[in-house]
Amino acid sequence: MTNGRMNNEELVLSNESGFQGDWKTIYHRDALLWASHEYDTDSIMKPLAQMVICLANQFNLSPTIEFTTIDTLELLLVRAFQSWMQSPVTFPDTVEQQKDAFLRQLPMYVVAVFDIVAKYSNLGSKLDLAAMKRAAKVSVAIDTNMLTVEFEVIKILDSELRSSLLLGAFERFSKQYLLPLNIESKETIASIGVRLLRVAVAERALIYDSLKTSMKDMECFRRFKSNKLILAGAIILTVLYLIPAARHSSVLLNQVAVPLADDCCVQSTNLIYLRDAILRVIGGH
């Protein structure tokens, strides 16, 4: 990236960051979208996230680009699936064939989305596409102009592109709930946060599957799982737990968890359950 190069664990935790107006509205709309669509992306998220994380590290890209790319790729998969299902001559085997063909070309789509997101996140930025295609192992047999692929991606997405909501919520909550405690530096909180965000997106299936038995109503569970505010809140509590000065303090936990749960429109115990699920996954790594 020729412009906008930055530490890939640097988060926007300054006092200037934050959202305007009723910032939760977009999160509630997003949760409804992910709770309602019929295509479960869990099975593909781990390899997809690992590929994006690896490339983001290799090319020293910002968390904004990294997590927005992951979110955009997941939405791309869903939009593509929906278009296949809406085809007038759709059969189950046809959909599977289209899905397989799409996934075989996933490295190419990853590079295309990286480039789109980099331009969107930082006007004037330019990725070394040739180097990234090599790093992503884009098949040399696919001799496609990347601009053509990017236009295809934008068309499938119906021009829908926005910064990562999960990252945005984590940044906001960190500034609001963790930094004022003065128990750890902004840099350490950011570093722990980035690593946890990566685990949360790559191991989403494992994290949430461990909670399935706790929720009898599968629709409620689906809504819970689809809510990025709740996940961001649980990651905040996980960061708090991983800070030695706060780990065994019930006072600090309550000081953060109660208002944070209100912000997430959920009971604080649910945030703690999800935090514990994240910690179990980390413990298994």
Side-chain angles (χ1 to χ4, degrees), residues 207-277:
I207 289 168
Y208 284 99
D209 281 354
S210 69
L211 296 174
K212 266 186 180 177
T213 54
S214 304
M215 290 193 180
K216 305 302 180 189
D217 187 329
M218 282 299 103
E219 281 305 309
C220 284
F221 177 73
R222 192 171 171 85
R223 288 195 297 272
F224 176 78
K225 181 180 172 182
S226 301
N227 195 309
K228 292 183 176 70
L229 276 182
I230 294 173
L231 179 56
I235 292 171
I236 290 293
L237 294 188
T238 311
V239 173
L240 188 67
Y241 180 86
L242 294 175
I243 296 172
R247 180 169 302 171
H248 302 296
S249 173
S250 58
V251 173
L252 284 177
L253 176 60
N254 288 330
Q255 184 180 333
V256 173
V258 173
L260 179 59
D262 285 342
D263 254 345
C264 297
C265 305
V266 71
Q267 293 181 350
S268 59
T269 50
N270 286 345
L271 290 184
I272 293 169
Y273 287 147
L274 187 51
R275 177 205 68 179
D276 290 347

Side-chain angles (χ1 to χ4, degrees), residues 195-214:
R195 292 171 191 179
L196 289 175
L197 285 163
R198 288 170 177 163
V199 170
V201 294
E203 301 289 359
R204 187 174 67 199
L206 196 56
I207 289 168
Y208 284 99
D209 281 354
S210 69
L211 296 174
K212 266 186 180 177
T213 54
S214 304

Side-chain angles (χ1 to χ4, degrees), residues 2 21 32-33 35 48 50 52 64 76 81 87-88 100 109 115 117 124 132 135 152 166 175 214 229 236 239 248 259:
T2 56
L32 287 173
L33 165 71
L48 186 152
Q50 286 175 334
V52 172
T64 297
L76 180 68
F81 178 81
S87 172
D100 290 344
Y109 286 113
D115 195 40
V117 169
M132 186 171 274
E152 180 192 348
L166 179 61
K175 187 186 76 169
S214 304
L229 276 182
I236 290 293
V239 173
H248 302 296

Side-chain angles (χ1 to χ4, degrees), residues 6-12 27 30 34 45 48-57 60-76 110 113-114 117-118 120-121 161-171 189-204 228 231-232 235:
M6 63 185 291
N7 186 313
N8 65 353
E9 289 185 353
E10 181 179 336
L11 300 188
V12 184
Y27 285 87
D30 179 76
W34 289 103
M45 283 311 293
L48 186 152
Q50 286 175 334
M51 184 187 300
V52 172
I53 291 164
C54 179
L55 290 170
N57 277 329
N60 198 30
L61 301 177
S62 70
T64 297
I65 292 176
E66 177 181 332
F67 291 105
T68 300
T69 296
I70 292 171
D71 286 4
T72 305
L73 282 163
E74 184 177 16
L75 184 61
L76 180 68
V110 168
V113 171
F114 257 125
V117 169
Y120 167 81
S121 302
L161 184 68
R162 59 170 178 243
S163 296
S164 169
L165 292 181
L166 179 61
L167 177 64
F170 176 80
E171 288 175 339
I189 288 171
S191 179
I192 296 172
V194 166
R195 292 171 191 179
L196 289 175
L197 285 163
R198 288 170 177 163
V199 170
V201 294
E203 301 289 359
R204 187 174 67 199
K228 292 183 176 70
L231 179 56
I235 292 171

